[in-house]
Amino acid sequence: MKLLENSSFEAITSGLQLLTGSSRIFGRVESYSCKMVGPEKSLYKKLNFEHGHNPSDLQALSPPENKFGVSPSNVSYSRSLSGDEEGGGSLCDVISRKALFHLISTLNASFPDYDFSSAKAEEFSREPSLAVVVANIDTYLSAAAGEQYNVLRNTLWRTIEDEITPKECDIYRYNPDLQSDPFGEDGCLWSFNYFFYNKKMKRIVFFTCRAISVNYNMLRLDSGSGQEFSMELDEDYMLGLEEEVDM
């Protein structure tokens, strides 16, 4: 995957570094080309051709999470694992091995300190509609950041529209196991990770966000553990927390 330069996304990412009364929010929006680079070609061959696999083979995804009262029951988005939409086989959402590889490669590119190569299809879900995704993201960020997010919201969705045309995308969500990835850190209140995959454009927009408890960070400072935060808190924020602890 190749990270595509986008000054608008860089500005939005800067705006998604938010400090609220109870949490610090770290959000990023990035655009990637699905063109394979470097070691990805070898990994692609290993994952897709060993043991007789084919890139077009389908794998079952997990069902989408039903958050905030949003019900996908009236949305037709499931297909049979056998590929027969008229019947036969258990109904579930599926993804090709090639598309799954693109999602995993995006995670590896976005979080270079972690290795997602062994991630399974069941750790991902396909979202029923763009409206559900927008509602989920807006609910998370509006509840956590209120007006700070509201002033950014229109620019955020307009920029995503200009970059990827989300109505033409398959939208996936990564649901991590919270054991061996960036989202299982102590003090993490919630996180979301959405992929807007436009097959025609061969491009993915990745929207990742997590909220870290301010109270947890202050307890770490007060304990004098000496351990560095893995969440890359900026210096101004750290100084502010230290001043609060000293008061």
Side-chain angles (χ1 to χ4, degrees):
M1 307 296 285
K2 180 180 179 181
L3 178 64
L4 303 175
E5 293 186 5
N6 187 311
S7 58
S8 296
F9 278 168
E10 291 173 3
I12 288 171
T13 293
S14 179
L16 288 171
Q17 312 306 301
L18 302 170
L19 177 62
T20 72
S22 60
S23 64
R24 182 69 189 264
I25 296 172
F26 300 84
R28 277 189 290 133
V29 187
E30 299 168 330
S31 183
Y32 289 91
S33 165
C34 292
K35 182 178 180 179
M36 286 180 281
V37 295
E40 287 181 344
K41 295 179 180 179
S42 297
L43 180 61
Y44 179 77
K45 292 179 180 178
K46 179 180 179 181
L47 294 178
N48 287 289
F49 294 104
E50 284 188 353
H51 310 298
H53 293 310
N54 186 288
S56 61
D57 290 345
L58 300 179
Q59 294 183 285
L61 297 164
S62 291
E65 295 183 7
N66 188 9
K67 294 270 187 174
F68 310 119
V70 177
S71 175
S73 59
N74 295 324
V75 183
S76 298
Y77 61 94
S78 294
R79 295 172 290 175
S80 68
L81 186 56
S82 66
D84 180 4
E85 296 185 8
E86 299 301 322
S90 299
L91 287 179
C92 64
D93 247 343
V94 295
I95 189 171
S96 70
R97 294 183 67 87
K98 182 176 182 179
L100 177 62
F101 176 81
H102 289 322
L103 303 188
I104 292 172
S105 295
T106 300
L107 288 171
N108 281 332
S110 189
F111 298 96
D113 293 335
Y114 294 82
D115 184 4
F116 297 87
S117 300
S118 60
K120 306 300 183 184
E122 57 264 28
E123 295 177 51
F124 298 85
S125 59
R126 183 180 178 185
E127 296 304 297
S129 71
L130 174 62
V132 168
V133 172
V134 172
N136 281 349
I137 292 174
D138 284 350
T139 302
Y140 269 117
L141 290 171
S142 293
E147 189 60 26
Q148 293 184 74
Y149 172 66
N150 292 338
V151 298
L152 181 66
R153 181 190 180 279
N154 289 341
T155 300
L156 164 68
W157 291 113
R158 183 172 63 249
T159 305
I160 291 177
E161 173 68 35
D162 293 341
E163 177 69 9
I164 200 72
T165 315
K167 290 182 180 179
E168 298 178 0
C169 294
D170 291 327
I171 306 177
Y172 299 95
R173 180 170 181 166
Y174 176 55
N175 307 298
D177 60 11
L178 303 181
Q179 296 298 320
S180 57
D181 52 50
F183 315 105
E185 299 285 349
D186 291 340
C188 184
L189 301 173
W190 53 258
S191 67
F192 62 73
N193 311 276
Y194 287 103
F195 307 81
F196 298 80
Y197 177 30
N198 191 313
K199 296 179 183 177
K200 293 181 180 179
M201 298 175 66
K202 298 181 179 179
R203 184 177 300 180
I204 289 176
V205 164
F206 180 49
F207 190 170
T208 180
C209 191
R210 60 186 182 269
I212 310 302
S213 170
V214 169
N215 291 332
Y216 173 78
N217 289 334
M218 291 181 66
L219 288 173
R220 288 283 299 276
L221 284 170
D222 193 42
S223 69
S225 65
Q227 298 178 358
E228 294 182 0
F229 295 148
S230 59
M231 289 300 174
E232 300 179 354
L233 300 178
D234 61 78
E235 293 182 1
D236 291 340
Y237 177 56
M238 288 294 295
L239 288 173
L241 285 179
E242 289 172 351
E243 290 174 357
E244 291 184 25
V245 169
D246 291 338
M247 290 177 62

